[in-house]
Amino acid sequence: MRMAGVWRSAVGAARLALPVDCPGCDAPDERWCEECRAPWWEEPVRCETSAARLEVLDPPLPAWSITVLEGSAHGTVSAWKDGGRRDLDRDLTAAMRRAAAVVAPALAAACGEVDVVPCPARAAHTRRRGADLPGLLARGAAAGLRDAGVSASPRSLLRTARGRSRGAGDRGRWRGEAPVALAAVRGPMRPVLLVDDVVTTGATLARAAQALQAGPAVPVGALLLAVAPGVHSRRGSALL
């Protein structure tokens, strides 16, 4: 097992040293071209109307997404999550940091102090990818909130639970056991900003919010890298 880990590290290092194609458009010898990078500099968009399963939450959970999961953005996220492109970790973490700074005023008005909590990845996915991707995004978001003057810390309050996985499809995920549960909590709980990479129906995000509320904690919003194509509301940082 130890040698396998060394081999994976060596392969990853070699991949970083070799020319790669742009993950968004497959342009040769372009690590990430300017055109495909551009959407990740946009201000986040309110997107809870795109995630139908969030309707079970009362009150509704405000959610922001940096971009829509289509075109070059879809290619970038796929390469980052499942294509071994660990060189994109820093870029997408920075995108999350910039987005968090934009939504910070709304969170500050609502609560002042925030715990930034990632929706947890399954342990097998983390091992395969070689990084805790939701954890990276949570650290980036917490840094962005602090950049804007909001007291924020990343905190792992959730864990994966037994039940149907994300790959089971929307109906299977929703009718099966909750895919997330509250982890052991030490210390006081503050208002929570949930962080995840991609939201399609919002089923996992809703389950995460419900698990926190059972704690109890108060989810005050969610920040996402990308949301599946659908109806979007306005750009900007207002909670209401």
Side-chain angles (χ1 to χ4, degrees), residues 67-236:
T67 191
V68 181
L69 193 69
E70 59 185 2
S72 67
H74 189 285
T76 295
V77 172
S78 295
W80 177 62
K81 291 183 66 173
D82 298 312
R85 290 294 298 270
R86 296 280 61 78
D87 58 303
L88 296 171
D89 287 352
R90 182 177 297 181
D91 300 286
L92 294 179
T93 300
M96 183 65 75
R97 182 171 184 166
R98 292 190 296 269
V102 172
V103 305
L107 297 177
C111 49
E113 295 182 319
V114 182
D115 284 327
V116 181
V117 176
C119 291
R122 293 188 177 274
H125 294 174
T126 298
R127 288 193 299 270
R128 175 169 54 82
R129 293 164 179 162
D132 176 11
L133 304 189
L136 290 175
L137 298 180
R139 290 193 288 275
L145 294 178
R146 293 193 298 269
D147 290 343
V150 176
S151 176
S153 301
R155 195 173 179 192
S156 296
L157 296 179
L158 298 170
R159 60 178 174 81
T160 55
R162 292 182 179 180
R164 295 180 183 270
S165 70
R166 298 182 186 186
D170 174 38
R171 182 174 298 179
R173 287 198 303 269
W174 194 248
R175 293 183 177 177
E177 294 182 53
V180 292
L182 193 68
V185 176
R186 294 181 176 86
M189 299 180 94
R190 304 191 297 182
V192 166
L193 174 69
L194 280 163
V195 168
D196 205 358
D197 45 23
V198 172
V199 162
T200 52
T201 66
T204 298
L205 192 61
R207 290 298 198 194
Q210 290 172 328
L212 288 167
Q213 289 170 338
V218 181
V220 294
L223 184 59
L224 319 161
L225 274 184
V227 65
V231 179
H232 287 75
S233 53
R234 59 199 176 279
R235 288 195 181 275

